Amino acid sequence: RPKSETQLLEDVLARLRGLLPPGWAVERAIQGAHPGFRGVPAGPEIDAELELRSADQRLRLPVELRMRFEPREVANLASLEAPRSGIREALRPKANQQGVAPGRLLAAPFLSRRARELLTTAGWNYADATGNVRIAFDRPALYIRLEGAARDPFREPRPLRTLRGRVAGRLVRALADFRPPYGVRELARRARTSAAMASRVVAMLEGDAIVEREGRGPVTRVNWKPLLERWTEEYGFLRSNRVSRFLAVRGMPAVLERLAGSRLEYAISGPQAAERRRTVAPSLF
């Protein structure tokens, strides 16, 4: 894990040098101040600036450095767009001025898939220390995308990091089934679990910009698609359950007939369940 913003910037710089096409080069223009205003700190508006050059093109890429970044912080990046100082205004690239094109890059030790999706939607380039990189410009045309780590190798101990388990699964189901607003205690009641567990799950999902709340108040919005995607990433049917295998010598019809008379609790899924709703689905087991 990079131990400082300077080390993080050097890691990103080294990675970009290895990814750029032949004829391109990248250099660190400045960190903490713009070369046109030497000795004047750029403050929160800009942490560093990279310069990407080809034979006849030049791109200035302002960089926002974060030692820790959660998806919900993407919404706050919009405040960095507005020129809040003379320095920021001077840094704003002018259209068609010596081939300089506007761009913004967020660098962090690790960016989750959800964070990368939101950054892309917001129009930000990104790079992390594990190799997740996206650089996209229209003029001049430059597109780089690289997939790095899917899970955070630097993650720190947190009260809750996963949606695995029955209780978390019930809370995910309740969040997907019931339309907000509702408080944590009401969510816990609907999921038949404790308010403490519901609070931990909501706090984790809030950090991933999947659940939105009014401060510490009720849940006001649930983005159910990324919620289910996050759940399926962490839950695997064969991985999260004890599995026993059997050989049906007489075929599936005999198995289904015996199940109908059994006292076992069971659920049928896969092709056997699908073909009862869509007859074109083949039975594979």
Side-chain angles (χ1 to χ4, degrees):
R1 179 185 183 91
K3 296 181 179 180
S4 66
E5 290 187 353
T6 300
Q7 184 182 350
L8 173 62
L9 184 61
E10 291 298 331
D11 289 350
V12 169
L13 190 59
R15 192 171 299 278
L16 289 180
R17 284 171 176 159
L19 293 174
L20 286 171
W24 283 81
V26 59
E27 297 294 337
R28 184 180 69 180
I30 200 68
Q31 182 177 6
H34 187 265
F37 298 83
R38 294 196 179 279
V40 180
E45 289 87 356
I46 183 171
D47 293 320
E49 187 182 44
L50 302 181
E51 185 174 85
L52 287 74
R53 300 189 306 272
S54 67
D56 57 350
Q57 301 286 352
R58 182 164 61 97
L59 293 173
R60 286 207 305 258
L61 190 58
V63 180
E64 176 76 12
L65 298 168
R66 299 287 182 90
M67 294 307 295
R68 182 174 179 178
F69 188 81
E70 294 187 342
R72 63 178 173 181
E73 298 178 61
V74 174
N76 298 329
L77 293 176
S79 62
L80 300 179
E81 300 294 323
R84 293 183 293 177
S85 69
I87 296 176
R88 184 64 176 176
E89 181 62 30
L91 287 173
R92 184 178 297 277
K94 305 299 189 297
N96 301 321
Q97 179 187 6
Q98 300 176 352
V100 178
R104 301 152 297 169
L105 181 139
L106 185 132
F110 175 75
L111 295 168
S112 67
R113 189 179 76 168
R114 175 68 173 161
R116 300 195 302 270
E117 290 175 351
L118 293 175
L119 285 168
T120 300
T121 301
W124 279 72
N125 297 303
Y126 58 76
D128 71 18
T130 75
N132 291 301
V133 178
R134 178 185 180 272
I135 305 291
F137 290 100
D138 293 332
R139 298 180 60 188
L142 178 64
Y143 185 80
I144 299 173
R145 180 167 180 176
L146 185 69
E147 295 291 330
R151 297 181 180 274
D152 187 358
F154 315 119
R155 60 186 180 185
E156 302 170 354
R158 297 173 61 184
L160 186 68
R161 293 198 302 250
T162 179
L163 293 175
R164 295 178 187 174
R166 291 185 178 183
V167 176
R170 290 202 301 267
L171 285 162
V172 170
R173 181 63 186 266
L175 286 166
D177 282 352
F178 298 104
R179 181 177 297 177
Y182 42 72
V184 170
R185 291 186 180 277
E186 183 180 355
L187 174 64
R189 178 181 59 79
R190 292 179 174 180
R192 304 189 309 281
T193 185
S194 67
M197 184 62 181
S199 178
R200 293 165 65 192
V201 169
V202 167
M204 180 181 67
L205 295 176
E206 186 182 9
D208 286 339
I210 293 175
V211 167
E212 297 179 14
R213 301 175 66 185
E214 293 181 352
R216 300 178 65 87
V219 174
T220 57
R221 183 182 179 189
V222 176
N223 298 300
W224 62 267
K225 184 178 179 181
L227 170 66
L228 298 182
E229 289 176 346
R230 169 70 185 274
W231 193 26
T232 55
E233 283 179 1
E234 299 183 355
Y235 176 87
F237 180 77
L238 299 180
R239 185 178 64 249
S240 303
N241 297 280
R242 186 177 65 183
V243 178
S244 300
R245 302 180 184 276
F246 301 92
L247 177 63
V249 180
R250 296 172 55 194
M252 283 304 300
V255 174
L256 296 175
E257 181 180 348
R258 294 191 64 181
L259 281 175
S262 171
R263 295 183 179 180
L264 296 174
E265 292 185 356
Y266 63 89
I268 299 175
S269 62
Q272 284 293 331
E275 73 173 2
R276 282 158 174 75
R277 302 185 65 87
R278 295 291 184 270
T279 56
V280 296
S283 295
L284 301 179
F285 63 90

